Short mmCIF file of all heavy atoms in Angstrom, two decimals:
data_model
loop_
_atom_site.label_atom_id
_atom_site.label_comp_id
_atom_site.label_asym_id
_atom_site.label_seq_id
_atom_site.Cartn_x
_atom_site.Cartn_y
_atom_site.Cartn_z
N PHE A 35 59.40 -37.30 -7.91
CA PHE A 35 60.34 -37.17 -9.03
C PHE A 35 59.77 -37.99 -10.19
O PHE A 35 59.27 -39.10 -9.98
CB PHE A 35 61.72 -37.72 -8.62
CG PHE A 35 62.82 -36.93 -9.26
CD1 PHE A 35 63.52 -35.97 -8.56
CD2 PHE A 35 63.13 -37.13 -10.61
CE1 PHE A 35 64.52 -35.22 -9.17
CE2 PHE A 35 64.11 -36.39 -11.21
CZ PHE A 35 64.82 -35.43 -10.50
N SER A 62 67.50 -32.78 -18.48
CA SER A 62 67.06 -32.28 -17.18
C SER A 62 66.70 -30.81 -17.38
O SER A 62 67.56 -29.93 -17.27
CB SER A 62 68.19 -32.43 -16.15
OG SER A 62 67.88 -31.65 -15.02
N GLN A 64 65.18 -28.69 -15.61
CA GLN A 64 65.36 -27.78 -14.47
C GLN A 64 66.81 -27.37 -14.27
O GLN A 64 67.10 -26.39 -13.61
CB GLN A 64 64.85 -28.45 -13.19
CG GLN A 64 63.35 -28.58 -13.17
CD GLN A 64 62.93 -29.64 -12.19
OE1 GLN A 64 63.19 -30.84 -12.38
NE2 GLN A 64 62.29 -29.23 -11.12
N MET A 65 67.73 -28.18 -14.83
CA MET A 65 69.14 -27.81 -14.73
C MET A 65 69.62 -27.25 -16.06
O MET A 65 70.81 -26.96 -16.21
CB MET A 65 69.98 -29.02 -14.35
CG MET A 65 69.85 -29.41 -12.91
SD MET A 65 71.11 -30.63 -12.51
CE MET A 65 71.19 -30.48 -10.75
N ASN A 89 75.46 -37.32 -15.20
CA ASN A 89 74.56 -37.60 -14.08
C ASN A 89 74.73 -39.06 -13.69
O ASN A 89 74.10 -39.95 -14.25
CB ASN A 89 73.11 -37.33 -14.49
CG ASN A 89 72.15 -37.44 -13.32
OD1 ASN A 89 72.33 -38.31 -12.46
ND2 ASN A 89 71.16 -36.59 -13.26
N PHE A 91 73.80 -40.88 -11.23
CA PHE A 91 72.62 -41.62 -10.74
C PHE A 91 71.84 -42.21 -11.91
O PHE A 91 71.47 -43.38 -11.91
CB PHE A 91 71.71 -40.69 -9.92
CG PHE A 91 72.37 -40.18 -8.66
CD1 PHE A 91 72.92 -38.91 -8.60
CD2 PHE A 91 72.45 -41.00 -7.55
CE1 PHE A 91 73.54 -38.46 -7.45
CE2 PHE A 91 73.06 -40.55 -6.38
CZ PHE A 91 73.61 -39.28 -6.34
N ILE A 127 64.01 -36.06 -16.95
CA ILE A 127 63.80 -36.16 -15.50
C ILE A 127 63.32 -34.83 -14.94
O ILE A 127 63.81 -33.77 -15.33
CB ILE A 127 65.08 -36.64 -14.78
CG1 ILE A 127 66.29 -35.82 -15.23
CG2 ILE A 127 65.33 -38.11 -15.00
CD1 ILE A 127 67.54 -36.14 -14.47
N LEU A 128 62.36 -34.92 -14.03
CA LEU A 128 61.74 -33.71 -13.46
C LEU A 128 61.47 -33.93 -11.98
O LEU A 128 60.89 -34.95 -11.60
CB LEU A 128 60.37 -33.48 -14.12
CG LEU A 128 60.33 -33.20 -15.62
CD1 LEU A 128 58.93 -33.46 -16.15
CD2 LEU A 128 60.75 -31.77 -15.89
N GLY A 129 61.90 -33.00 -11.15
CA GLY A 129 61.64 -33.12 -9.70
C GLY A 129 60.67 -32.03 -9.27
O GLY A 129 60.80 -30.87 -9.68
N TYR A 134 63.58 -28.68 -3.87
CA TYR A 134 64.61 -27.64 -3.99
C TYR A 134 64.24 -26.40 -3.20
O TYR A 134 63.06 -26.14 -2.96
CB TYR A 134 64.81 -27.30 -5.48
CG TYR A 134 64.96 -28.55 -6.32
CD1 TYR A 134 63.92 -28.98 -7.15
CD2 TYR A 134 66.11 -29.33 -6.24
CE1 TYR A 134 64.04 -30.15 -7.88
CE2 TYR A 134 66.22 -30.50 -6.97
CZ TYR A 134 65.18 -30.91 -7.78
OH TYR A 134 65.29 -32.07 -8.50
N ILE A 161 66.46 -25.01 -11.02
CA ILE A 161 67.09 -25.27 -9.72
C ILE A 161 68.27 -24.32 -9.53
O ILE A 161 69.00 -24.04 -10.46
CB ILE A 161 67.63 -26.72 -9.68
CG1 ILE A 161 66.51 -27.70 -9.97
CG2 ILE A 161 68.29 -27.01 -8.36
CD1 ILE A 161 67.02 -29.11 -10.21
N PRO A 175 75.62 -28.99 -0.42
CA PRO A 175 75.51 -29.87 -1.59
C PRO A 175 75.50 -29.06 -2.89
O PRO A 175 75.41 -27.84 -2.87
CB PRO A 175 74.16 -30.55 -1.36
CG PRO A 175 73.41 -29.66 -0.43
CD PRO A 175 74.40 -28.91 0.38
N GLU A 176 75.55 -29.79 -4.04
CA GLU A 176 75.65 -29.12 -5.35
C GLU A 176 74.47 -28.18 -5.63
O GLU A 176 74.64 -27.05 -6.06
CB GLU A 176 75.72 -30.20 -6.45
CG GLU A 176 75.84 -29.63 -7.86
CD GLU A 176 75.53 -30.67 -8.95
OE1 GLU A 176 75.05 -31.78 -8.63
OE2 GLU A 176 75.77 -30.34 -10.12
N VAL A 177 73.24 -28.70 -5.34
CA VAL A 177 72.09 -27.85 -5.60
C VAL A 177 71.44 -27.45 -4.28
O VAL A 177 71.60 -28.12 -3.26
CB VAL A 177 71.03 -28.57 -6.49
CG1 VAL A 177 71.58 -28.91 -7.84
CG2 VAL A 177 70.48 -29.81 -5.81
N LYS A 179 68.95 -27.64 -1.87
CA LYS A 179 67.90 -28.64 -1.69
C LYS A 179 67.23 -28.51 -0.32
O LYS A 179 67.78 -27.88 0.58
CB LYS A 179 68.51 -30.04 -1.83
CG LYS A 179 69.63 -30.29 -0.83
CD LYS A 179 70.03 -31.74 -0.74
CE LYS A 179 71.07 -31.94 0.33
NZ LYS A 179 70.89 -33.07 1.19
N GLY A 181 66.19 -31.37 1.31
CA GLY A 181 66.55 -32.57 2.07
C GLY A 181 65.56 -33.72 1.90
O GLY A 181 65.52 -34.63 2.73
N LEU A 182 64.76 -33.69 0.84
CA LEU A 182 63.76 -34.75 0.65
C LEU A 182 64.28 -35.96 -0.12
O LEU A 182 63.52 -36.88 -0.42
CB LEU A 182 62.53 -34.19 -0.07
CG LEU A 182 61.72 -33.15 0.69
CD1 LEU A 182 60.59 -32.61 -0.18
CD2 LEU A 182 61.15 -33.74 1.96
N GLY A 183 65.57 -35.96 -0.46
CA GLY A 183 66.14 -37.15 -1.11
C GLY A 183 65.91 -37.18 -2.61
O GLY A 183 65.40 -38.16 -3.15
N SER A 184 66.34 -36.10 -3.28
CA SER A 184 66.08 -36.05 -4.73
C SER A 184 66.82 -37.15 -5.48
O SER A 184 66.28 -37.73 -6.42
CB SER A 184 66.48 -34.68 -5.30
OG SER A 184 67.80 -34.36 -4.98
N SER A 185 68.06 -37.47 -5.06
CA SER A 185 68.82 -38.45 -5.85
C SER A 185 68.17 -39.84 -5.76
O SER A 185 68.12 -40.57 -6.75
CB SER A 185 70.28 -38.50 -5.42
OG SER A 185 70.38 -38.92 -4.09
N ALA A 186 67.65 -40.21 -4.58
CA ALA A 186 67.02 -41.53 -4.44
C ALA A 186 65.71 -41.59 -5.23
O ALA A 186 65.43 -42.57 -5.92
CB ALA A 186 66.74 -41.82 -2.96
N MET A 188 64.97 -39.74 -7.79
CA MET A 188 65.32 -39.67 -9.22
C MET A 188 65.75 -41.05 -9.72
O MET A 188 65.26 -41.54 -10.75
CB MET A 188 66.46 -38.66 -9.41
CG MET A 188 67.07 -38.62 -10.80
SD MET A 188 68.13 -37.18 -10.99
CE MET A 188 69.49 -37.57 -9.90
N GLN A 232 76.60 -43.11 -5.70
CA GLN A 232 77.06 -42.30 -4.55
C GLN A 232 78.46 -42.70 -4.12
O GLN A 232 79.10 -41.99 -3.36
CB GLN A 232 76.12 -42.50 -3.36
CG GLN A 232 74.89 -41.63 -3.41
CD GLN A 232 74.20 -41.55 -2.06
OE1 GLN A 232 74.07 -42.55 -1.37
NE2 GLN A 232 73.76 -40.37 -1.68
N1 ADP B 1 66.12 -32.24 -11.43
C1 ADP B 1 67.33 -32.80 -11.46
N2 ADP B 1 67.97 -33.02 -12.63
C2 ADP B 1 69.17 -33.61 -12.64
N3 ADP B 1 69.86 -34.01 -11.55
C3 ADP B 1 69.29 -33.80 -10.37
C4 ADP B 1 68.00 -33.20 -10.26
N4 ADP B 1 67.69 -33.14 -8.95
C5 ADP B 1 68.73 -33.67 -8.27
N5 ADP B 1 69.71 -34.06 -9.12
C6 ADP B 1 70.98 -34.69 -8.75
O1 ADP B 1 70.88 -35.24 -7.46
C7 ADP B 1 71.91 -34.66 -6.61
C8 ADP B 1 71.31 -34.41 -5.23
O2 ADP B 1 71.44 -35.56 -4.53
P1 ADP B 1 71.82 -35.58 -3.00
O3 ADP B 1 73.00 -34.70 -2.74
O4 ADP B 1 71.84 -37.01 -2.60
O5 ADP B 1 70.62 -34.80 -2.36
P2 ADP B 1 69.29 -35.35 -1.80
O6 ADP B 1 69.44 -35.27 -0.31
O7 ADP B 1 68.20 -34.42 -2.30
O8 ADP B 1 69.20 -36.73 -2.34
C9 ADP B 1 72.29 -33.36 -7.26
O9 ADP B 1 73.62 -33.05 -6.97
C10 ADP B 1 72.09 -33.66 -8.72
O10 ADP B 1 73.24 -34.26 -9.25
#
Side-chain angles (χ1 to χ4, degrees):
F35 215 101
S62 166
Q64 290 160 293
M65 285 191 160
N89 187 322
F91 295 100
I127 49 174
L128 297 161
Y134 312 106
I161 303 169
E176 180 195 10
V177 298
K179 58 167 184 136
L182 294 176
S184 54
S185 63
M188 172 168 68
Q232 277 196 318

